[in-house]
Coordinates of all heavy atoms in Angstrom, one line a residue:
L1 N 31.2 91.7 205.1 CA 32.3 92.5 205.5 C 33.4 91.6 205.9 O 33.2 90.7 206.7 CB 31.9 93.3 206.8 CG 30.5 94.1 206.7 CD1 30.1 94.4 208.1 CD2 30.8 95.4 205.9
S2 N 34.6 91.9 205.4 CA 35.7 91.1 205.8 C 37.0 91.6 205.4 O 37.2 92.2 204.3 CB 35.5 89.6 205.3 OG 36.5 88.8 205.9
A3 N 38.0 91.3 206.2 CA 39.4 91.5 205.8 C 39.9 90.3 205.1 O 41.0 90.3 204.4 CB 40.3 91.8 207.0
D4 N 39.2 89.2 205.1 CA 39.5 88.0 204.5 C 39.3 88.1 203.0 O 38.2 88.2 202.5 CB 38.7 86.8 205.1 CG 39.0 85.5 204.5 OD1 39.9 85.4 203.7 OD2 38.3 84.5 204.9
R5 N 40.4 88.1 202.2 CA 40.2 88.2 200.8 C 40.6 86.9 200.1 O 40.9 86.9 198.9 CB 41.1 89.3 200.3 CG 40.6 90.7 200.7 CD 41.4 91.8 200.1 NE 41.0 93.1 200.6 CZ 41.4 93.7 201.6 NH1 42.4 93.2 202.3 NH2 40.9 94.9 202.0
E6 N 40.6 85.8 200.8 CA 40.9 84.5 200.3 C 39.8 84.2 199.2 O 38.6 84.3 199.4 CB 40.8 83.4 201.3 CG 42.1 83.3 202.1 CD 42.1 82.0 202.9 OE1 41.6 81.0 202.5 OE2 42.6 82.1 204.0
E7 N 40.3 83.7 198.1 CA 39.5 83.5 196.9 C 38.4 82.5 197.3 O 37.2 82.6 196.8 CB 40.3 83.0 195.7 CG 39.4 82.8 194.5 CD 40.3 82.3 193.3 OE1 41.5 82.5 193.3 OE2 39.7 81.8 192.4
V8 N 38.7 81.4 198.0 CA 37.7 80.4 198.4 C 36.6 81.0 199.2 O 35.4 80.7 198.9 CB 38.4 79.3 199.2 CG1 37.4 78.3 199.7 CG2 39.4 78.6 198.3
S9 N 36.9 81.9 200.2 CA 35.8 82.5 201.0 C 35.0 83.4 200.1 O 33.7 83.4 200.2 CB 36.4 83.3 202.1 OG 37.1 82.4 203.0
V10 N 35.6 84.2 199.3 CA 34.9 85.2 198.5 C 34.0 84.4 197.5 O 32.8 84.7 197.3 CB 35.8 86.1 197.7 CG1 35.1 87.0 196.7 CG2 36.6 87.0 198.7
R11 N 34.5 83.4 196.9 CA 33.7 82.6 195.9 C 32.5 81.9 196.6 O 31.4 82.0 196.1 CB 34.6 81.5 195.3 CG 33.8 80.8 194.2 CD 34.6 79.7 193.4 NE 35.9 80.2 193.0 CZ 37.1 79.6 193.3 NH1 37.1 78.5 194.1 NH2 38.2 80.0 192.9
R12 N 32.7 81.4 197.8 CA 31.6 80.7 198.5 C 30.6 81.8 198.9 O 29.4 81.5 198.8 CB 32.2 80.0 199.8 CG 31.1 79.3 200.5 CD 30.5 78.1 199.8 NE 29.5 77.5 200.6 CZ 28.3 77.1 200.2 NH1 28.0 77.2 198.9 NH2 27.4 76.6 201.0
A13 N 31.0 83.0 199.3 CA 30.0 84.0 199.7 C 29.2 84.4 198.4 O 28.0 84.6 198.5 CB 30.7 85.2 200.2
L14 N 29.8 84.5 197.3 CA 29.1 84.8 196.0 C 28.2 83.7 195.6 O 27.0 84.0 195.2 CB 30.1 85.1 194.9 CG 31.0 86.4 195.1 CD1 32.1 86.4 194.0 CD2 30.1 87.6 195.0
E15 N 28.6 82.5 195.8 CA 27.7 81.3 195.5 C 26.5 81.4 196.4 O 25.4 80.9 195.9 CB 28.4 80.0 195.7 CG 29.5 79.7 194.7 CD 30.4 78.5 195.1 OE1 30.2 77.9 196.2 OE2 31.3 78.2 194.3
L16 N 26.6 81.8 197.6 CA 25.5 81.9 198.5 C 24.6 83.1 198.3 O 23.6 83.3 199.0 CB 26.0 81.8 200.0 CG 26.5 80.5 200.4 CD1 27.3 80.6 201.7 CD2 25.4 79.4 200.5
G17 N 25.0 84.0 197.4 CA 24.1 85.1 197.0 C 24.3 86.4 197.8 O 23.2 86.9 198.1
V18 N 25.5 86.8 198.0 CA 25.6 88.1 198.7 C 25.3 89.2 197.8 O 25.5 89.1 196.5 CB 27.0 88.3 199.3 CG1 27.3 87.3 200.4 CG2 28.1 88.3 198.3
S19 N 24.8 90.3 198.3 CA 24.5 91.5 197.5 C 25.7 92.4 197.2 O 25.8 93.0 196.2 CB 23.5 92.4 198.2 OG 22.3 91.6 198.4
D20 N 26.7 92.4 198.1 CA 27.9 93.1 198.0 C 28.9 92.6 199.0 O 28.6 91.9 199.9 CB 27.6 94.6 198.2 CG 28.6 95.6 197.5 OD1 29.7 95.1 197.1 OD2 28.3 96.8 197.4
Y21 N 30.2 93.1 198.8 CA 31.3 92.7 199.6 C 32.1 93.9 200.0 O 32.6 94.6 199.1 CB 32.2 91.7 198.8 CG 33.3 91.0 199.6 CD1 33.1 89.7 200.1 CD2 34.5 91.6 199.8 CE1 34.1 89.1 200.8 CE2 35.5 91.0 200.5 CZ 35.3 89.7 201.0 OH 36.3 89.1 201.7
L22 N 32.2 94.2 201.2 CA 32.9 95.4 201.7 C 34.2 94.9 202.4 O 34.1 94.1 203.3 CB 32.1 96.3 202.6 CG 30.8 96.9 202.1 CD1 30.0 97.6 203.2 CD2 31.1 97.8 200.9
S23 N 35.3 95.5 202.0 CA 36.6 95.1 202.6 C 36.9 95.9 203.9 O 36.5 97.1 204.0 CB 37.7 95.3 201.6 OG 37.6 94.5 200.5
K24 N 37.5 95.2 204.8 CA 38.0 95.9 206.0 C 39.5 96.1 205.8 O 40.1 95.4 205.1 CB 37.8 95.0 207.3 CG 36.4 94.8 207.7 CD 36.4 93.9 208.9 CE 35.0 93.6 209.4 NZ 35.1 92.7 210.6
P25 N 40.1 97.2 206.4 CA 39.4 98.1 207.3 C 38.4 99.0 206.6 O 38.5 99.3 205.4 CB 40.5 98.9 207.9 CG 41.6 98.8 206.9 CD 41.5 97.5 206.2
L26 N 37.3 99.3 207.3 CA 36.2 100.1 206.8 C 36.7 101.5 206.5 O 37.3 102.2 207.3 CB 35.0 100.1 207.7 CG 34.4 98.7 208.0 CD1 33.3 98.9 209.0 CD2 34.0 98.0 206.7
N27 N 36.3 102.0 205.3 CA 36.5 103.4 204.9 C 35.1 104.0 205.0 O 34.3 103.7 204.1 CB 37.1 103.4 203.5 CG 37.3 104.8 203.0 OD1 36.4 105.7 203.1 ND2 38.5 105.1 202.4
V28 N 34.9 104.9 205.9 CA 33.6 105.4 206.2 C 32.9 106.1 205.0 O 31.8 105.8 204.6 CB 33.5 106.4 207.4 CG1 32.2 107.0 207.6 CG2 33.9 105.6 208.7

């Protein structure tokens, strides 16, 4: 979960094997 949409952070999260990525602010 993050408002951080920096490509480096997203790429690193994907490399570490996240199942999904939810953007903030949260839409219920």
